[in-house]
Amino acid sequence: MRLTTEEKIELELKEQGTVNPAFRGKDSDEQPQLTLDIAEPHTEALEETADKGVDLVYSLNDRPPWYLCILLGFQHYILAFGGIIAIPLILAEPLCIQDNNVAKSQLISTIFFVSGLSTIMQTTIGTRLPILQGGTFSFITPTLAILALPKWQCPAPQKAAVLSMHLQNGTSHMQMENSDEVWMSRMREIQGAILVSSLLQIVLGFSGLVGLVLKFIGPLAIAPTINLIGLSLFIEAGKKSGGHWGIAALTVCLILLFSQYLSKVDVPMIAYMDKKWKVFQYPLFKLFSALFGMCGAWLVCFLLTVFDVLPSKSDEYGFSARTDINLNAVTNSPWFHVPYPGQWGMPTVSVSSVLGMMAGVLASTMESIGDYYACARLSGAPPPPTHAINRGIAVEGIGCILAALWGTGNGTTSYSQNIAALGITKVGSRLVLQTTGILMIVLGIFGKFGAVFITIPDPVIGGMFLVMFGMIAAVGISNLQYVDLNSSRNLLILGFSTFSGLVLPTWFHSNPGIIDTGIKELDQVIVVLFTTHMFIGGFFGFILDNTIPGTDKERGIKSWQDKVQQGSKNTCDQSCYDIPFCNAVLKRLRCFQYLPFLPSYKTTQQGTSK
């Protein structure tokens, strides 16, 4: 179906005498091939993709046919699936819902639902770029630090066992309420922290302070921050993988097979068009490597379970690789569950939690700004103006507030892997991403859909974590490509900030209760901040990079900003960033010219520059 549209475009171009080489076959009758030699969908590869100047089938403002919107929209959903599903699975244990399958399925449904809402908001009134919003790992580290406080430790196993026995016998409704209160009270604490800390993101966006902050934040502050997000999660990956290292290794091998070794292998696919069957090539392995790897290992676990190869006793090694452990989650989950604000109760706010979460907010903000420029290059749009960046960050903050109100246990941020997919599909239309948002909302309401993913064995999830968290750490290191690594100054800053981000949190965890200022709230603030790896690394990187003398070239500031802001082939003008249905009003009233998040703000800037 998709190729029919492309053939029409090729025909129109032929009539004009300008046929794009991307659509031309070896001869005039040959099926157009939509294959690009483009890097894998990760942040560092994004730049290589964008540099090639992708020739788009549909650019930012175009409206593809409805069926193409649904197909490509679902593809974006699948690409973001691994990153989004990982978050509630990581939070299950610290939230004390490791064995509460109903709560886990509701959490999965909620995070997909809110991700869909945030995606629609970002593509409609935010940057208006085709960018998907989903859960962020930047919030995981401070969340784990908050839940590691003594008052949020999970109840003793004996108490949990008694509760579980009562629940299974159905003898006490009060016991069920107590069991829910155990994890809901922890969720409300995280909700409150995200709710208040996200106001910082909104202030940065609506006030236009993002540009000011960026002047002082360079690669040497960003690299240790993002790097430590991945490194700090190695314990979570080890716990999951340790259930059966063979299955975890199989998952890793399958993901590597599809994403690297078979990345340039295009799979022949058949489509019925123009009353005849046609064969075309499609980069199937490149697009769905994580999904194929996880599903392949999941299938192996299913077969091993069916043939009773895996142990059937919970205290034996390898039991967690069975696929029948959590089947009751699917049967007990409702067909439909509509997430709503305050479903876990009223959020609670504490100073220590809010300050700890602000580190995640800042890291997420810096990461998103780079994504905006990359997305603009791949969708045929000009580099985003100041008002679009400001509005995008503010809307991302609003998305985090929605996530806090609904109770996902996380915030939202832009997804780099979906941005890179724009170069593969050659479709940069925002309508496709708006369709993805709708799909995420619909599937989030379908309760049993979220429950199915709880049956994924822990070792399979652990294998996915090994690749995913390693990639996050590598993305942080990739920011150093702009820095002079022959400079002892830069090596000192990088080494000290990264090492401190590992040492201090480990020491505080191994010496609980050592901080005693006499003020309980202050003690909690210190513990949360100094057990948040990314805060320590980013803080030292930021302070040292801005206080130790060094040239902009040595620090990598100039080359980093030039790379981020470089343009590409533009298929639309700056009007693509305008807020729909508001232009007439914004241009008529002069007061709107002074608001840095509105399109009318650019008029003031142009006048000033003259």
Side-chain angles (χ1 to χ4, degrees):
M1 294 191 304
R2 175 184 170 203
L3 292 176
T4 305
T5 308
E6 291 155 4
E7 287 177 330
K8 289 180 181 178
I9 295 173
E10 183 183 9
L11 185 60
E12 292 174 4
L13 292 172
K14 282 181 178 179
E15 291 175 354
Q16 298 171 7
T18 57
V19 181
N20 192 318
F23 298 101
R24 187 184 290 125
K26 294 179 181 177
D27 53 66
S28 58
D29 296 326
E30 186 172 320
Q31 183 68 21
Q33 303 295 313
L34 288 185
T35 55
L36 285 176
D37 186 14
I38 155 177
E40 282 301 300
H42 293 295
T43 305
E44 31 198 54
L46 261 165
E47 295 166 1
E48 296 178 19
T49 308
D51 292 343
K52 295 182 180 179
V54 179
D55 297 309
L56 296 169
V57 177
Y58 293 103
S59 61
L60 185 62
N61 291 326
D62 292 339
R63 303 177 67 85
W66 64 269
Y67 56 82
L68 195 60
C69 285
I70 293 175
L71 287 175
L72 291 172
F74 187 73
Q75 176 174 271
H76 278 286
Y77 170 86
I78 294 298
L79 280 172
F81 165 82
I84 295 176
I85 198 72
I87 290 164
L89 296 177
I90 293 172
L91 295 179
E93 186 174 344
L95 284 174
C96 312
I97 56 173
Q98 186 70 19
D99 300 317
N100 190 340
N101 292 327
V102 174
K104 280 194 283 189
S105 67
Q106 290 176 346
L107 207 55
I108 291 171
S109 295
T110 302
I111 195 169
F112 275 108
F113 183 88
V114 174
S115 296
L117 287 177
S118 301
T119 298
I120 292 174
M121 284 178 53
Q122 188 66 264
T123 53
T124 305
I125 61 173
T127 57
R128 305 206 74 226
L129 289 167
I131 193 165
L132 187 138
Q133 301 289 118
T136 168
F137 288 100
S138 299
F139 283 28
I140 291 289
T141 307
T143 299
L144 295 178
I146 293 167
L147 294 176
L149 290 173
K151 68 174 181 176
W152 298 124
Q153 294 295 321
C154 291
Q158 292 82 1
K159 294 182 180 179
V162 172
L163 282 173
S164 177
M165 190 165 61
H166 278 296
L167 291 175
Q168 289 173 359
N169 295 335
T171 57
S172 175
H173 179 68
M174 183 62 69
Q175 294 289 353
M176 181 181 293
E177 291 181 353
N178 291 340
S179 177
D180 285 340
E181 183 60 28
V182 167
W183 73 269
M184 285 185 182
S185 60
R186 287 156 178 75
M187 176 59 79
R188 291 195 292 268
E189 179 74 10
I190 301 303
Q191 286 180 254
I194 295 172
L195 187 66
V196 177
S197 62
S198 296
L199 295 175
L200 173 64
Q201 206 167 19
I202 293 178
V203 170
L204 286 175
F206 284 148
S207 66
L209 289 174
V210 174
L212 178 64
V213 172
L214 278 177
K215 291 180 181 178
F216 299 97
I217 296 180
L220 285 173
I222 291 177
T225 302
I226 299 177
N227 182 31
L228 285 166
I229 294 173
L231 293 181
S232 64
L233 293 172
F234 77 93
I235 294 177
E236 303 300 322
K239 284 180 181 177
K240 298 287 186 184
S241 302
H244 196 298
W245 280 105
I247 297 297
L250 173 65
T251 307
V252 172
C253 290
L254 287 175
I255 293 176
L256 292 176
L257 174 68
F258 293 126
S259 67
Q260 303 299 321
Y261 296 105
L262 298 179
S263 63
K264 296 184 179 180
V265 176
D266 294 326
V267 180
M269 302 187 73
I270 302 175
Y272 187 74
M273 300 171 296
D274 301 332
K275 298 181 180 180
K276 61 181 179 179
W277 292 96
K278 292 187 178 180
V279 178
F280 64 97
Q281 304 290 325
Y282 195 73
L284 203 63
F285 298 132
K286 180 180 291 185
L287 282 175
F288 304 118
S289 55
L291 182 69
F292 285 168
M294 192 177 66
C295 288
W298 195 359
L299 177 62
V300 171
C301 288
F302 173 74
L303 295 175
L304 294 177
T305 303
V306 169
F307 293 108
D308 210 23
V309 176
L310 296 170
S312 56
K313 294 182 180 179
S314 59
D315 58 346
E316 294 183 16
Y317 179 79
F319 172 77
S320 60
R322 295 185 68 94
T323 56
D324 57 357
I325 300 174
N326 297 317
L327 284 179
N328 63 324
V330 181
T331 55
N332 295 338
S333 296
W335 280 100
F336 297 99
H337 169 73
V338 181
Y340 57 91
Q343 57 186 334
W344 319 129
M346 184 66 68
T348 58
V349 178
S350 64
V351 177
S352 60
S353 299
V354 170
L355 291 178
M357 199 64 74
M358 280 185 177
V361 169
L362 289 173
S364 176
T365 301
M366 297 304 106
E367 186 180 355
S368 294
I369 291 172
D371 286 342
Y372 295 160
Y373 284 103
C375 186
R377 295 201 299 270
L378 287 176
S379 59
T386 303
H387 71 83
I389 295 175
N390 291 337
R391 197 167 61 248
I393 294 301
V395 168
E396 196 166 295
I398 294 172
C400 289
I401 287 178
L402 292 181
L405 293 175
W406 260 262
T408 65
N410 202 253
T412 61
T413 191
S414 55
Y415 267 41
S416 303
Q417 58 265 45
N418 291 81
I419 296 172
L422 300 176
I424 299 175
T425 61
K426 290 187 178 180
V427 176
S429 170
R430 71 166 66 91
L431 185 61
V432 171
L433 269 296
Q434 289 168 339
T435 306
T436 305
I438 295 172
L439 286 173
M440 294 172 87
I441 292 173
V442 171
L443 293 174
I445 293 173
F446 189 53
K448 288 194 181 296
F449 180 78
V452 166
F453 299 115
I454 299 173
T455 64
I456 302 174
D458 280 355
V460 176
I461 297 169
M464 183 177 70
F465 283 179
L466 287 173
V467 177
M468 190 178 298
F469 297 161
M471 199 66 207
I472 293 172
V475 166
I477 295 173
S478 71
N479 285 281
L480 298 175
Q481 63 185 295
Y482 311 110
V483 174
D484 181 8
L485 290 177
N486 291 319
S487 166
S488 60
R489 169 197 182 273
N490 293 344
L491 293 177
L492 172 65
I493 294 172
L494 175 65
F496 179 75
S497 57
T498 302
F499 199 66
S500 299
L502 294 172
V503 171
L504 286 176
T506 304
W507 186 84
F508 273 89
H509 279 306
S510 59
N511 295 275
I514 199 166
I515 301 296
D516 186 8
T517 62
I519 304 173
K520 184 179 178 182
E521 289 74 16
L522 181 59
D523 292 345
Q524 291 179 355
V525 168
I526 295 173
V527 170
V528 169
L529 290 180
F530 281 87
T531 53
T532 304
H533 301 76
M534 57 183 286
F535 169 77
I536 300 294
F539 175 77
F540 282 127
F542 173 79
I543 295 296
L544 295 176
D545 190 34
N546 284 280
T547 55
I548 298 177
T551 64
D552 284 350
K553 182 178 180 181
E554 184 181 14
R555 297 170 60 195
I557 297 287
K558 189 176 186 304
S559 57
W560 180 59
Q561 291 177 345
D562 290 346
K563 187 71 174 179
V564 162
Q565 298 182 10
Q566 72 179 28
S568 65
K569 300 179 181 179
N570 301 334
T571 58
C572 55
D573 55 24
Q574 292 282 349
S575 64
C576 63
Y577 294 106
D578 292 347
I579 303 174
F581 313 117
C582 298
N583 280 340
V585 177
L586 295 177
K587 290 179 180 178
R588 190 180 305 123
L589 300 176
R590 178 174 292 183
C591 61
F592 290 129
Q593 295 181 2
Y594 302 98
L595 298 178
F597 58 90
L598 294 177
S600 52
Y601 182 68
K602 63 187 177 185
T603 308
T604 306
Q605 300 290 46
Q606 288 171 355
T608 307
S609 62
K610 290 178 183 177

